[in-house]
Amino acid sequence: MNQKISVVIPTLGGIHLEQTIKNLNNGTKIPNEIILSLPKKTYTILKLSKYTNVKIIKTFRKGQVHQRIEGFKSAKYPLVLQLDDDILLNKYCLRELSNFLRFKKKVSVSPLLITKSKSSNFDRRPKNLFYKIYHFFLNGKENFKEGQVSKAGIPYYFDNYKKNNIYKTDWLSGGCILHKKENLILKNYFFIKSKKAYCEDLIHSHKLKKKKIQLYLNTNAKAKYDDFDGFKLSSLKDFYAIIKSDYMCRLYYVKLSKKSIVRMNLYYFFLIIRFFFTKIK
């Protein structure tokens, strides 16, 4: 059974968008429609007329979550891929994801997201006592556990994954997830006033699990993206703005999921120390 696919991309028409669409159309499984969801005012997209499967919709509000939901509502086909406009799918990615969902109902799946940036030792499986103590503060006796969201509301990535494996996980990165259309969340779930939708993927994952949707990572499917360059490149003013917004969004998620505000505050304490340490290093 060759299920048709809608792709939904909330965007402002960024510089990476054309390459993202090109990759989608060069894959072994080409989407039947690519819905670009833009805010109604000021944003335009050029050089995409050659792609017959691209459809543009305009939304009344600007915001990643709102634009994505409006795109979901316009999707025609049984499988729906939510995708950020700067994520480049591997040639076989969409085929692997759709094959995984073929005989499943209440399941969503993500590819392995690969970035050029080297992750911090704080975000990896601890290799010494110092990092074990750090993760104890974040997650108690369970410590670092791949695919879990810690008691502090910090998601753990798969640091030691094996190729050609499927992992059940507590959360999925919002950058690329394939859903069954009937499982989509079509009501707004992000109510925080923030310029960027920090932690929206954690909130979204929580809402999906409340609907009894199981979340999986498929390492057979791969996609590339550019990661955050790190706090060392941020000014104190920028760092404060990022931390303030991130804190408000994570606090909402921690309360929603009944996790530990105390452990979350410890995470930000460590984060602030790390920032100043990188500045004087």
Side-chain angles (χ1 to χ4, degrees):
M1 182 172 62
N2 184 22
Q3 291 196 85
K4 294 183 176 181
I5 299 178
S6 299
V7 177
V8 173
I9 305 177
T11 184
L12 302 180
I15 58 173
H16 301 290
L17 180 61
E18 188 173 3
Q19 187 61 48
T20 298
I21 292 171
K22 183 178 178 180
N23 276 41
L24 282 166
N25 281 304
N26 286 339
T28 53
K29 187 171 181 65
I30 298 173
N32 300 85
E33 65 174 356
I34 300 171
I35 300 168
L36 306 181
S37 181
L38 291 95
K40 197 167 186 177
K41 294 182 179 178
T42 69
Y43 299 97
T44 57
I45 294 179
L46 305 174
K47 300 180 182 178
L48 296 179
S49 57
K50 61 182 176 180
Y51 299 110
T52 57
N53 58 349
V54 172
K55 171 185 174 184
I56 297 174
I57 66 168
K58 295 293 185 79
T59 66
F60 287 99
R61 283 174 50 199
K62 174 183 173 184
Q64 185 184 48
V65 175
H66 175 76
Q67 289 172 234
R68 184 190 295 144
I69 288 172
E70 292 306 307
F72 283 167
K73 291 176 182 178
S74 297
K76 294 179 181 178
Y77 298 112
L79 297 180
V80 181
L81 181 78
Q82 67 174 72
L83 187 69
D84 284 357
D85 65 6
D86 58 351
I87 290 185
L88 305 178
L89 269 59
N90 173 283
K91 185 177 180 179
Y92 307 100
C93 181
L94 202 50
R95 185 186 72 183
E96 292 289 347
L97 294 178
S98 60
N99 284 346
F100 178 74
L101 285 191
R102 182 173 293 177
F103 302 110
K104 297 176 177 64
K105 292 184 178 180
K106 297 183 80 65
V107 168
S108 293
V109 61
S110 282
L112 182 66
L113 295 176
I114 301 167
T115 178
K116 294 178 182 178
S117 302
K118 187 178 179 182
S119 61
S120 164
N121 286 331
F122 285 92
D123 300 322
R124 298 177 185 172
R125 183 177 293 277
K127 294 181 179 179
N128 60 40
L129 182 61
F130 172 77
Y131 292 110
K132 286 181 180 178
I133 292 171
Y134 169 76
H135 288 293
F136 174 79
F137 281 121
L138 266 56
N139 204 35
K141 292 180 180 179
E142 291 185 77
N143 215 270
F144 184 98
K145 192 170 181 180
E146 290 172 326
Q148 189 183 75
V149 182
S150 72
K151 293 178 175 67
I154 309 303
Y156 288 140
Y157 295 87
F158 281 88
D159 180 47
N160 198 29
Y161 66 88
K162 294 180 180 179
K163 293 181 180 178
N164 305 320
N165 267 29
I166 308 295
Y167 295 94
K168 192 173 182 181
T169 181
D170 280 349
W171 72 287
L172 293 175
S173 171
C176 184
I177 306 175
L178 186 64
H179 306 274
K180 295 274 190 173
K181 186 179 178 182
E182 62 267 25
N183 297 336
L184 293 173
I185 293 174
L186 300 177
K187 290 185 179 180
N188 182 40
Y189 55 84
F190 192 82
F191 304 102
I192 309 101
K193 291 183 179 179
S194 173
K195 289 184 178 180
K196 187 174 179 180
Y198 294 103
C199 303
E200 72 83 15
D201 46 5
L202 298 180
I203 300 168
H204 189 211
S205 295
H206 178 80
K207 295 290 185 181
L208 287 170
K209 288 194 298 177
K210 283 287 185 183
K211 288 182 65 176
K212 307 298 182 185
I213 309 300
Q214 295 181 328
L215 310 179
Y216 285 89
L217 172 73
N218 183 349
T219 65
N220 295 307
K222 297 177 177 64
K224 293 191 298 184
Y225 73 108
D226 288 327
D227 201 4
F228 175 53
D229 288 325
F231 293 116
K232 194 170 184 178
L233 303 181
S234 299
S235 67
L236 181 59
K237 183 180 178 181
D238 289 341
F239 176 74
Y240 173 76
I242 291 169
I243 286 293
K244 183 180 177 182
S245 294
D246 188 272
Y247 184 92
M248 289 190 300
C249 296
R250 199 173 307 275
L251 181 61
Y252 176 83
Y253 166 72
V254 165
K255 289 180 177 179
L256 182 71
S257 57
K258 295 181 171 59
K259 293 186 179 293
S260 171
I261 295 175
V262 172
R263 290 183 188 274
M264 187 195 78
N265 286 333
L266 283 170
Y267 164 76
Y268 284 102
F269 172 74
F270 284 122
L271 197 60
I272 291 167
I273 291 175
R274 284 168 57 191
F275 170 76
F276 285 107
F277 181 75
T278 59
K279 285 296 183 183
I280 62 175
K281 190 176 178 181

